[in-house]
């Protein structure tokens, strides 16, 4: 309720966990419907002649059946599981999926980065495209983007690995929650100045660029 909490300082997610769970479920369904799950749903590992997609949960796999990849369901922070998932891979598209339920975001990001990097190094994967972000060239003071900086650095330390980091702009899909605000209040709301120009990109364009890479 932005009319009561304009600064959005109240943690509504903590007050209404069931609503958060419902919104997460809706997001996964819509992401699958719009073929966006390769961006937010997991990792893609290129094998010959198959593709393998890694999912965090069985539910994501069920919703993403149209992708046409061989599915591997496992914990992205489990180094042993990731090692099996990357077995035989020549190339991979990797990312750190968001986890809004984590109480320690840096630790979560580091765990995922370490597991992915260890699996790539152990299996001698030669080509990696990593989903990163604008600002990932900075080592500090960028919030969660620091975790992407660490992922990039960790991958670059792997000998013989050809790494391409896609430092994408703000996802256009992140503006979708504004729809209800516009409908009820006739305005958009957020922490940015109204005249600030922010680069944006559709997640499908990121996926297409990553595939071409």
């Amino acid at each position: 309720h932005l009319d009561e909490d304009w600064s959005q300082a109240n943690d509504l997610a903590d007050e209404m966990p069931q609503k958060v769970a419902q919104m997460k479920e809706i997001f996964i369904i819509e992401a699958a419907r719009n073929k966006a799950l390769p961006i937010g749903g997991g990792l893609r590992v290129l094998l010959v002649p198959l593709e393998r997609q890694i999912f965090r949960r069985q539910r994501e796999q069920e919703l993403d059946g149209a992708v046409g990849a061989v599915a591997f369901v496992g914990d992205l922070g489990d180094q042993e599981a990731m090692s099996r998932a990357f077995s035989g891979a020549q190339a991979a598209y990797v990312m750190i999926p968001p986890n809004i339920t984590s109480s320690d975001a840096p630790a979560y990001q580091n765990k995922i980065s370490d597991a992915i990097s260890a699996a790539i190094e152990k299996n001698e994967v030669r080509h990696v495209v990593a989903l990163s972000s604008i600002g990932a060239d900075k080592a500090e003071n960028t919030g969660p983007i620091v975790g992407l900086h660490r992922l990039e650095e960790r991958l670059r330390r792997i000998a013989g690995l050809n790494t391409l980091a896609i430092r994408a702009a703000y996802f256009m899909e992140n503006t979708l929650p504004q729809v209800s605000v516009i409908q009820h209040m006739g305005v958009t709301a957020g922490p940015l100045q109204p005249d600030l120009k922010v680069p944006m990109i559709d997640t499908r364009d990121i996926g297409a660029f990553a595939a071409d890479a």
Side-chain angles (χ1 to χ4, degrees):
H1 300 283
L2 293 176
D3 53 339
E4 301 175 1
D5 181 27
W6 182 257
S7 68
Q8 302 182 56
N10 294 331
D11 189 352
L12 296 180
D14 184 61
E15 297 175 10
M16 297 183 289
Q18 292 182 337
K19 186 65 175 179
V20 173
Q22 179 187 20
M23 293 173 67
K24 288 169 64 178
E25 182 76 5
I26 292 173
F27 174 84
I28 292 175
I29 292 172
E30 292 302 318
R33 182 177 300 161
N34 290 280
K35 302 297 186 293
L37 275 180
I39 298 298
L43 317 178
R44 289 187 78 84
V45 180
L46 182 61
L47 306 172
V48 179
L50 301 174
E51 281 188 351
R52 180 182 302 153
Q53 184 159 2
I54 307 171
F55 297 93
R56 292 173 290 179
R57 291 176 289 271
Q58 186 70 32
R59 179 61 172 158
E60 291 176 350
Q61 176 192 351
E62 294 168 355
L63 291 170
D64 201 39
V67 171
V70 177
F72 182 98
V73 180
D75 181 357
L76 301 184
D78 185 334
Q79 293 193 16
E80 183 177 344
M82 290 302 98
S83 181
R84 295 196 306 271
F86 281 77
S87 176
Q90 295 182 352
Y93 171 50
V94 304
M95 63 167 293
I96 302 177
N99 184 358
I100 61 175
T101 64
S102 175
S103 59
D104 189 341
Y108 163 76
Q109 291 177 314
N110 289 338
K111 183 179 181 181
I112 301 297
S113 294
D114 289 344
I116 291 172
S117 301
I120 289 171
E121 189 167 20
K122 180 177 180 180
N123 288 284
E124 299 183 345
V125 179
R126 290 293 174 248
H127 303 278
V128 166
V129 177
L131 178 60
S132 188
S133 170
I134 287 178
D137 55 309
K138 306 294 190 298
E140 57 185 0
N141 300 324
T142 58
I145 296 176
V146 170
L148 299 176
H149 172 84
R150 293 171 182 156
L151 173 62
E152 289 187 19
E153 293 298 305
R154 180 70 176 83
L155 291 172
R156 290 197 178 99
R157 290 198 298 268
I158 300 176
L161 179 63
N162 179 22
T163 302
L164 172 64
I166 302 178
R167 291 178 178 168
Y170 189 80
F171 293 176
M172 293 179 65
E173 287 82 354
N174 288 340
T175 63
L176 290 176
Q178 292 285 345
V179 171
S180 61
V181 178
I182 296 171
Q183 290 175 331
H184 291 90
M185 300 181 62
V187 297
T188 60
L192 303 177
Q193 295 294 329
D195 58 348
L196 178 65
K197 296 181 179 180
V198 178
M200 297 186 183
I201 187 168
D202 190 303
T203 56
R204 289 171 294 185
D205 292 332
I206 299 174
F209 181 84
D212 290 340

